[in-house]
Amino acid sequence: MNLDVRSLRTFSRLAHSGAEKAASSMTTLAGIDTYVNVTKVELGTKTDVEQEFSERELVSVHIGFSGGLEGRTVLAFSPESAERLVDALMPGMEGAETGSELATSSLKEVANIMLGGFIDGWADYLNTSIDITTPTYVDDNSDGPLADLESDGFEHEGDNEHILVFRNQLEAADDAIEFDLYMVPSPESIGTIVEASGQKGALPVQSFAAFSEMISDGANQASADITAMTGIDTTVEVSRMSFVPIEGVPMSLTDSVRRGVVLEFSGTPSGYIAILFDEPSADNIASSLLPGMEGDEAMRQSAIQEIGNIVTSGFLDGWANALGTTIDISPPTHVHDIGSAIVDPLATDLAQSQEYAFLIDSTIRTDDDEFTCDIYALPNEEELRKALKQLSPAV
């Protein structure tokens, strides 16, 4: 399976267009204005996807597809959003609690219409026919909606093999309902789409997978550095790379207030990195580094800058070593704002030269949630392409 940055643009546009059709169907069915918040193309493993579902306690409906493309689509809700949707579809109906036969039947019907419209867009683009299966409801106590991917064209894919996931986040205008629309094509289907996009010079997916492994290694090193500095054991919860329209980068972060640092890195690749803590985490980590100095704002800011600098170095040094290059890092700039506002100027700067961005995000946390550290990296697309070519396996 080969991929190319330009092909990813095609994928993103198709996924977004399909998601808009799905949102329109939701508006018609439930009478709730629905819009697409952000569309991502994520490279991860089946294990990564399953872990995300288990941690978020999602209920979902999935539909397999075959023919011109093979794979699976998934419509996933929090139990609360699913309940609100059922209430909107069947107002005043008794016995419509989430998980009941009436509720699951209603959710399956919605998913059948929304996901069917989503797949139709891909069929039109490829000028082919795609058949879909009967929708299946999956509750939040299951092994996950991708547990049996082998039935959808993934016969040779193991849990740690890399897969491409198209993820669309949709929201109701009144914020009452939020849900995700996933599409997971088989590797053979990815090749079909790349070929149809007419792009030349695509790179083996192993190049992207190798870079994804570099991200994981960097996150693990950053976690070890935090532990060494604070004496608090930390683990990497998630580390992934996604491809997103540049204007969607700020929307990928929540609007909760964050404190941390922003740095610029240059070399191969170059770009920006943000090390962000929620406010309780920032307080806890500052206290662990400077016990007794919690009331000194200047000292607390200095502590956060120092750990941000150390974390950035640990995260990026592995990239430089793997690529045989040098990556220089600017002094850290302290930031304290909502997450989307922090990354917005970074995305705006990159938008002068590119329409899409590779968003790299890793989360490091303690077992007792004493603090959580989120790492967001935005490499320059052209420089990242050079890095990916260097990681391309020899033929």
Side-chain angles (χ1 to χ4, degrees):
M1 178 172 69
N2 290 347
L3 293 173
D4 182 77
V5 172
R6 289 162 294 185
S7 299
L8 289 173
R9 295 191 190 111
T10 301
F11 294 169
S12 181
R13 292 183 183 120
L14 279 170
H16 189 80
S17 175
E20 287 184 328
K21 290 182 180 179
S24 177
S25 297
M26 171 69 84
T27 299
T28 301
L29 287 168
I32 301 172
D33 288 337
T34 308
Y35 63 92
V36 183
N37 186 18
V38 64
T39 296
K40 295 181 179 179
V41 182
E42 296 181 351
L43 178 68
T45 66
K46 178 182 168 186
T47 300
D48 293 334
V49 177
E50 293 291 353
Q51 180 180 349
E52 179 180 3
F53 270 82
S54 64
E55 290 172 351
R56 296 175 62 195
E57 297 182 349
L58 298 171
V59 299
S60 57
V61 179
H62 61 208
I63 294 178
F65 54 91
S66 60
L69 290 179
E70 293 184 332
R72 175 167 303 179
T73 49
V74 177
L75 196 63
F77 305 85
S78 68
E80 296 78 16
S81 287
E83 184 175 348
R84 294 187 188 108
L85 176 58
V86 171
D87 287 343
L89 293 169
M90 300 182 296
M93 292 291 291
E94 296 182 358
E97 295 84 1
T98 302
S100 69
E101 183 175 350
L102 192 59
T104 57
S105 175
S106 179
L107 289 174
K108 286 195 290 185
E109 180 60 26
V110 168
N112 194 49
I113 294 172
M114 291 180 65
L115 296 177
F118 179 80
I119 290 298
D120 283 347
W122 293 82
D124 292 342
Y125 175 76
L126 296 170
N127 193 26
T128 188
S129 60
I130 302 176
D131 300 320
I132 62 174
T133 64
T134 301
T136 302
Y137 177 82
V138 181
D139 64 33
D140 59 348
N141 295 315
S142 73
D143 292 334
L146 307 185
D148 56 345
L149 270 181
E150 291 77 9
S151 64
D152 294 336
F154 291 79
E155 291 85 355
H156 304 295
E157 297 294 314
D159 285 354
N160 292 315
E161 291 291 328
H162 282 81
I163 58 177
L164 206 60
V165 179
F166 301 91
R167 178 181 176 186
N168 300 272
Q169 296 173 317
L170 294 89
E171 295 181 3
D174 59 2
D175 296 329
I177 300 173
E178 297 181 1
F179 52 99
D180 291 342
L181 192 162
Y182 292 80
M183 174 184 176
V184 188
S186 70
E188 292 77 9
S189 293
I190 293 295
T192 298
I193 302 169
V194 170
E195 183 178 349
S197 70
Q199 303 296 346
K200 304 297 182 181
L203 298 171
V205 72
Q206 290 92 331
S207 300
F208 292 83
F211 192 79
S212 182
E213 290 170 6
M214 282 171 48
I215 296 168
S216 296
D217 290 344
N220 286 322
Q221 183 58 55
S223 175
D225 290 339
I226 292 176
T227 298
M229 287 189 71
T230 64
I232 302 172
D233 289 335
T234 62
T235 57
V236 179
E237 181 179 77
V238 65
S239 192
R240 62 194 166 198
M241 177 170 67
S242 56
F243 187 76
V244 60
I246 197 76
E247 67 274 9
V249 171
M251 292 186 286
S252 298
L253 278 72
T254 66
D255 280 338
S256 58
V257 176
R258 314 299 292 276
R259 182 189 286 267
V261 297
V262 169
L263 307 94
E264 185 173 4
F265 57 95
S266 57
T268 302
S270 60
Y272 295 97
I273 188 167
I275 312 296
L276 303 180
F277 304 91
D278 57 43
E279 291 197 281
S281 295
D283 291 339
N284 290 337
I285 205 164
S287 298
S288 68
L289 292 175
L290 298 170
M293 301 291 289
E294 295 87 346
D296 189 325
E297 175 59 27
M299 291 295 289
R300 182 169 63 169
Q301 180 173 318
S302 177
I304 292 171
Q305 286 178 294
E306 178 60 20
I307 197 164
N309 200 37
I310 295 296
V311 169
T312 300
S313 295
F315 191 72
L316 295 178
D317 281 352
W319 298 15
N321 293 335
L323 295 167
T325 187
T326 299
I327 299 178
D328 297 319
I329 304 170
S330 72
T333 299
H334 181 264
V335 290
H336 188 194
D337 206 335
I338 60 174
S340 56
I342 290 172
V343 302
D344 184 67
L346 312 182
T348 299
D349 185 65
L350 289 177
Q352 297 180 45
S353 59
Q354 58 192 70
E355 295 180 63
Y356 288 80
F358 281 95
L359 176 63
I360 295 162
D361 64 286
S362 300
T363 299
I364 299 169
R365 68 172 66 247
T366 60
D367 290 338
D368 58 2
D369 288 333
E370 183 174 354
F371 70 78
T372 300
C373 173
D374 290 315
I375 303 172
Y376 297 96
L378 281 168
N380 173 278
E381 181 183 307
E382 185 62 32
E383 293 293 336
L384 181 59
R385 190 181 304 170
K386 293 177 183 177
L388 291 169
K389 287 182 178 178
Q390 287 182 233
L391 294 170
S392 181
V395 179

